[in-house]
Amino acid sequence: MLEFFLPVIQKALYSAGVTTDKPIRLEQPSDKKFGDFSTNIALLAAKECRRNPRELAQEIIPHLAFPPDTVARIDVAGAGFINFYLTPLFIMHSVEQVLQDGDKYGKDSIGKGQKAIVEYVSANPTGPLTIGRGRGGVLGDCIANLFETQGYEVTREYYFNDAGRQMQILGESVQLRYLECCGKETEFPTTHYQGEYIREIAEKIYSLHGTTVEKSNDLNLFKKIAEEIIFTSIRKTLERLSIHHDSFFNEHTLYTPDTQGVAANQRVIDKLRKKEFITEYDGAVWFLTTKLGQEKDKVLIKSSGEPSYRLPDIAYHITKFERGYDIIVNVFGADHIDEYPDVLEALKILGYDTDRIKIAINQFVTTTVDGQTLKMSTRKGNADLLDDLIDDVGADATRLFFIMRGKDSHLNFDIELAKKQSKENPVFYLQYAHARICSLLRMAQQETGFNPSDSAADYQLLRLLNSPEEVQLGFALLDYPDMIKTSLRMLEPQKMVEYLHSLAELFHRFYQECPILKAEPDICKARLFLSLATRQVLRNGFRILGVSAPESM
RNA sequence: GUGCCCGUAGCUCAAUGGAUAGAGCAUCAGCCUUCUAAGCUGAGGGUUACUGGUUCGAGUCCAGUCGGGCGCACCA
């Protein structure tokens, strides 16, 4: 609808002689009595013109040239809002577009020719995925889906590191547990991974090799096997949630020299040094963030000679620019919040356009059972495992619950609620609407021979519909394309969940108030088309969210 | 101590600086001889944590206070 209104308003402002540098915004009033759409442009422009906003609005209105039979009424209300009321005919006519476009409805090509990279999950293979990671995973996946609907060429990337200190500890942990399997007495440090999965890996090694590697000091053996097993399990877990990555970027490639014999990490140091942002003391190499007003400098290369995580992080982001991505999205949890400002600063210093980088940070997840909050404790062995959650509530509920709250809110995952097969559970409310339509269409085919695929010529029957329930439902369907754009702009799939919920509600109301199969033939058909269009939008929306669309329940 | 996020109905959460702050659940009252009642209709429920400020207009922006979460490593 943006495409419909904005040009007309723009022209009207011009011909009414109103100039303003404020962007025109189209909003949907919370109350329908203020119209289907509304703009506050007169309020904004009034100040610059030094005019009374209501008078200004009155002057703009005669210049608004909408096509005939589209906008029924234009009012000035409140402090100077211009409110638009669409005709039912226009609304129902537009529903035809939904049916014509089908799976493509809501898609756009504004991103055509642009490359976007969305990085998410990015957990190192030191243990199974936790519930907290799951939220970021689903969030990232949905964001990638949103970009795809707008025609962007999207890469879903997983950044990981199988070297470094954490992996070292992993190897040691497995080795110690293995020695226990061999009957040796060991002391297991509290700094090491306590989880049961370590024991399982050790037992596997024991069953493969027996005691033959007992004397081995080759930590790599344990590390490699552990990494392999853990990574496989991570990917399996992600697979259960339909999360796929196109690209797995190993941090280690940033350490190895390129064709000119220089490692990416080293290049970063060299370039930053040229910009005079590098210094050395205490045996380490520092990024001079104090020059940028920060309290402390940040270590880029430790006194041991190894880079700290920050250096490869910068180098990694440079590769995103070098690989030609126009939009770079990073999804990560609140625990990484302090990480990105340094990376951005470094990129800015090196001349990269950091406006292309968008950060989506999701807050943490707490789970509640019977109203009791289970505190997540990291890597203590009792961490909440994503797999257990999926076992418990299923993939659809897992995905939907993760994104049905804003990413900034601390998510409270009510496990009992997610398991409930009743209307309290939003997953079922949404899916039920879809299943109900499917059932209706099956019945229609049986009783009246209605066939959705060969009745396109009759789409115009939709224009017969004009009851409030029908028009409101139709209106909501038209809103879908704008909703995708809003969701994408805000990197917030939750908007889509909310929209689909209200769509389901409008359908149930329509279904309740308007008899379909019992109506006279033309009306019956028209209402079936409206139902069909609703099902289409639900499906398209579910696809973005990665939730299944059951045909019956 | 400090950086970021949050504080809105009994509970879980919405509200691109806009109009009388909205949904769902829970509670109460209605609706199935009728296409899936896993549904619909209606009612009650609020000093948007607090105090100031910015402006035509603040839940939203700014400052401060209080409360909760997550970080603050030469770990990632």
Side-chain angles (χ1 to χ4, degrees), chain A residues 220-265:
Chain A
N220 267 328
L221 174 91
F222 298 98
K223 219 161 81 175
K224 268 288 152 214
I225 294 177
E227 178 191 336
E228 209 180 293
I229 291 173
I230 291 170
F231 227 133
T232 304
S233 96
I234 287 175
R235 294 179 71 160
K236 218 165 111 194
T237 306
L238 292 173
E239 174 66 31
R240 296 179 73 191
L241 293 176
S242 310
I243 296 173
H244 306 278
H245 290 86
D246 306 307
S247 159
F248 287 78
F249 192 104
N250 190 337
E251 180 185 324
H252 207 69
T253 59
L254 302 165
Y255 295 63
T256 49
D258 62 13
T259 47
Q260 281 138 50
V262 186
N265 282 339

Side-chain angles (χ1 to χ4, degrees), chain A residues 59 111 142 167 171 175 179 225 256 261 349 407 409 411 439 469 504 545:
Chain A
E59 281 173 36
C142 291
M167 292 302 290
Q175 186 176 34
L179 291 175
I225 294 177
T256 49
I349 289 166
K407 60 182 183 296
S409 86
L411 176 65
S439 162
E469 291 80 15
L545 302 182

